[in-house]
Amino acid sequence: MNAELGQEHAAEPVLEATDVVKHYPIQRGIVIKRTIGHVQAVDGVDLKLYPGKTIGVVGESGSGKSTLAKVLVGLERPTSGSVKVLGKEIGNLKDRHIRPVRRDIQLVFQDPYTSLNPRMTVGDIVAEPFAIHQDVVPKNQVGSEVKELLDLVGLSPDHVNRYPHQFSGGQRQRIGIARALALRPKVLVCDEPVSALDVSIQGQVINLLERLQDELGLAYVFIAHDLSVVRHIADEVAVMYLGKVVEHGTGAEIYDHPRHPYTQALLSAVPVPDPSLRGHREEIILQGDVPSPIDPPSGCRFRTRCWKATERCAEEVPSLDVGNHGTHPTACFYAEERDVTHAVK
């Protein structure tokens, strides 16, 4: 973390991940199972999230973003490393002990079409957390609390008896956000919350999240593959590739001064909305696909697709640090700024 980021945060972090690793064993055999390898989904991630702030986590499919989200909210236990919510370690807690901590951190799912039970009314969906945590709201006040939550996210309280299929995609995502807010959490982990929505609706949901953050003092981990979306909401950005964070900085540092080749390639792929600007910036086209997390490349995991790769990149693992001439942490031996950001506004 650079000095500027450190100076901005005097408060204690509401969420802290330290060297988080999540590997899934690959097993064979019917009667006697044996482990023949591991899927290295997340491999040594560090994050600190402060009150009222947003960290954007970006990367291609297969980079480990969704697995990281599940680990942060306690749906998956880390293979190693530490996850703390409001200073409490949750990484190795059993289900009955982690339940009280889940009040403070909630997950907003990616797909509003599958994350809501189609057989439950909207009122029952939003009230479900109160049935699990019965001491949050008195039973005789649950109905009024549900209506207040629906109103908070911009839905009519009169629609409590409707079913999910009677709502649009954007409205369903608002229902999911209302459910996540029911327990009055301090942190929301948003796992690509707008990727399944039309572009016009994406803006409405982003504006809603920003308003809720201002009103309620929420902190967000906002996961996405669309860098133009993340720019509008994130204070800090962590770029992930094959389970590792390869660059981390403020929004301005990442978008205006990208140093890692992978970050530069992602930014150059953002569509240019203004036709007059097309063809006036350098485009970086990566060769090949993301390697398998079962058998990642030695050394730097990006080296098999990187135009700067040398023998050193195959032999050594670059650390996430500022380096000799950097402004923010970058995991690359040959990091340097490159102007590929004209269109990400």
Side-chain angles (χ1 to χ4, degrees):
M1 191 69 65
N2 61 24
E4 182 182 346
L5 288 178
Q7 291 174 357
E8 289 180 357
H9 303 311
E12 291 297 316
V14 290
L15 175 65
E16 184 173 8
T18 305
D19 198 20
V20 170
V21 173
K22 181 60 182 178
H23 292 176
Y24 296 95
I26 303 171
Q27 296 182 325
R28 283 185 181 172
I30 299 175
V31 178
I32 300 176
K33 294 184 180 294
R34 58 192 181 93
T35 300
I36 61 170
H38 291 85
V39 177
Q40 301 177 32
V42 177
D43 207 8
V45 170
D46 296 315
L47 292 176
K48 283 187 180 181
L49 177 62
Y50 292 86
K53 298 295 183 179
T54 299
I55 289 181
V57 180
V58 300
E60 294 172 282
S61 297
S63 62
K65 307 185 303 297
S66 292
T67 300
L68 177 63
K70 293 175 184 177
V71 171
L72 293 178
V73 300
L75 292 178
E76 297 274 7
R77 291 192 181 94
T79 304
S80 63
S82 169
V83 178
K84 293 182 179 180
V85 177
L86 300 183
K88 301 175 184 176
E89 175 65 49
I90 69 168
N92 53 12
L93 291 180
K94 295 182 179 179
D95 290 342
R96 62 190 179 92
H97 293 129
I98 202 172
R99 181 176 292 178
V101 182
R102 284 213 178 108
R103 296 183 185 183
D104 296 316
I105 184 167
Q106 290 288 302
L107 180 64
V108 176
F109 295 92
Q110 174 179 355
D111 191 350
Y113 295 93
T114 60
S115 62
L116 305 179
N117 189 331
R119 298 185 178 182
M120 295 175 65
T121 66
V122 168
D124 290 338
I125 290 171
V126 177
E128 193 172 18
F130 300 135
I132 300 171
H133 301 269
Q134 298 183 5
D135 58 331
V136 175
V137 175
K139 195 171 183 179
N140 61 351
Q141 296 179 19
V142 168
S144 60
E145 185 74 13
V146 167
K147 290 184 177 181
E148 287 184 16
L149 285 165
L150 290 177
D151 182 63
L152 182 65
V153 298
L155 295 174
S156 172
D158 297 332
H159 294 167
V160 289
N161 294 320
R162 293 189 179 185
Y163 290 85
H165 73 271
Q166 297 176 283
F167 294 86
S168 67
Q171 289 173 323
R172 293 185 201 189
Q173 195 59 288
R174 290 172 185 264
I175 295 167
I177 294 170
R179 177 177 59 186
L181 293 175
L183 299 178
R184 300 158 189 166
K186 301 293 188 298
V187 181
L188 286 188
V189 177
C190 305
D191 185 10
E192 302 209 35
V194 298
S195 63
L197 305 177
D198 293 338
V199 174
S200 60
I201 305 301
Q202 288 181 5
Q204 295 177 17
V205 174
I206 294 295
N207 289 338
L208 169 65
L209 290 171
E210 290 180 327
R211 176 174 64 80
L212 292 173
Q213 186 172 53
D214 291 338
E215 293 179 2
L216 305 177
L218 294 167
Y220 296 143
V221 177
F222 192 94
I223 294 170
H225 61 267
D226 188 336
L227 279 81
S228 59
V229 170
V230 174
R231 173 155 202 173
H232 292 290
I233 194 170
D235 301 293
E236 301 174 23
V237 178
V239 181
M240 285 190 70
Y241 183 81
L242 207 60
K244 288 183 174 290
V245 174
V246 297
E247 190 163 5
H248 187 177
T250 65
E253 288 169 341
I254 297 297
Y255 287 93
D256 298 336
H257 307 284
R259 294 178 51 77
H260 195 283
Y262 179 60
T263 307
Q264 294 166 357
L266 289 179
L267 288 170
S268 77
V270 174
V272 181
D274 186 350
S276 65
L277 293 177
R278 294 172 189 169
H280 293 280
R281 64 168 184 174
E282 182 181 11
E283 292 189 11
I284 302 171
I285 300 176
L286 296 179
Q287 302 298 318
D289 297 322
V290 179
S292 170
I294 298 174
D295 185 24
S298 62
C300 174
R301 295 189 174 186
F302 184 61
R303 68 175 176 81
T304 57
R305 305 172 74 195
C306 182
W307 61 93
K308 294 183 176 182
T310 65
E311 290 185 6
R312 182 185 182 189
C313 301
E315 297 170 354
E316 300 178 39
V317 179
S319 59
L320 185 67
D321 56 37
V322 175
N324 294 329
H325 305 289
T327 57
H328 56 280
T330 308
C332 179
F333 297 124
Y334 308 106
E336 62 179 351
E337 290 184 20
R338 192 167 182 169
D339 188 8
V340 293
T341 59
H342 298 75
V344 191
K345 301 298 182 184

